[in-house]
Amino acid sequence: MATFKKKTKTKQDIPTSALPDIIFMLLFFFMISTTFRESELLVKNSLPQASELTKLEKKSLVSYIYIGEPQDSKKFGSEARIQVNDVLIDADQIVQHVITEKDKLGEDGDKITMSLKIDREAKMGVISDVRQKLRDANALKVNYAANKRLRFE
């Protein structure tokens, strides 16, 4: 007579051969979907609207200057202030900032573009002071940032 053996239940492991691929896809997804801010805004920045805009070609040659009322008006007051690289500065310090930015770029320092991101409520006096200091620093290539106006015809 033949004897029959009972089949014992074997423990099946979860296949881990595809695990590195899944981890890589998740890492790749978060790398693409995450954006890094260049600087934290310390001033209010509601840009004006314009209809004729052009894009900057080499963003590596652009240095941004933000002008507007400080976010923390208790600490910095309510008058328009100038922000560069996460720091609020006075108009007198712009020349030094431009020299520092030109030094960072090396031989391309003469091709630097100063992009002014100015709050629409900023007073023209501060803007004129900044423009004059940029002239003094020989930063003659100036860009004014704006949002695109939607046309309804």
Side-chain angles (χ1 to χ4, degrees):
M1 270 182 114
T3 59
F4 295 101
K5 291 184 179 179
K6 281 189 172 180
K7 288 188 177 178
T8 59
K9 292 185 180 180
T10 59
K11 183 179 175 185
Q12 293 183 354
D13 293 331
I14 299 172
T16 59
S17 61
L19 195 59
D21 293 335
I22 294 170
I23 291 172
F24 180 73
M25 285 189 298
L26 282 171
L27 178 66
F28 192 69
F29 169 76
F30 285 114
M31 285 174 53
I32 290 178
S33 63
T34 304
T35 59
F36 295 105
R37 293 191 71 104
E38 290 180 13
S39 62
E40 184 179 337
L41 287 179
L42 301 174
V43 296
K44 294 179 183 172
N45 196 271
S46 173
L47 296 177
Q49 294 184 347
S51 59
E52 301 298 322
L53 299 175
T54 58
K55 285 196 171 225
L56 294 172
E57 295 195 14
K58 284 192 171 182
K59 291 204 174 191
S60 62
L61 298 175
V62 177
S63 178
Y64 295 96
I65 298 176
Y66 300 93
I67 302 173
E69 184 181 323
Q71 298 276 5
D72 188 6
S73 58
K74 292 179 183 176
K75 187 175 182 181
F76 299 113
S78 61
E79 292 183 19
R81 298 289 304 267
I82 304 163
Q83 177 188 344
V84 293
N85 298 339
D86 293 334
V87 179
L88 293 176
I89 63 170
D90 294 325
D92 298 332
Q93 297 170 316
I94 289 181
V95 175
Q96 183 61 37
H97 169 70
V98 172
I99 292 170
T100 305
E101 291 293 315
K102 284 183 177 182
D103 289 343
K104 283 182 191 175
L105 295 175
E107 61 187 41
D108 288 336
D110 294 334
K111 299 176 185 175
I112 192 169
T113 301
M114 304 305 291
S115 180
L116 301 178
K117 292 192 171 190
I118 305 168
D119 185 53
R120 69 177 71 197
E121 301 296 326
K123 302 291 183 201
M124 194 61 198
V126 177
I127 300 167
S128 297
D129 293 343
V130 169
R131 289 178 51 201
Q132 184 61 42
K133 294 299 179 181
L134 289 174
R135 273 189 225 120
D136 294 344
N138 200 24
L140 304 176
K141 201 170 181 185
V142 179
N143 172 38
Y144 295 92
N147 289 330
K148 187 164 182 122
R149 180 185 311 167
L150 299 175
R151 293 186 197 178
F152 295 107
E153 297 175 5

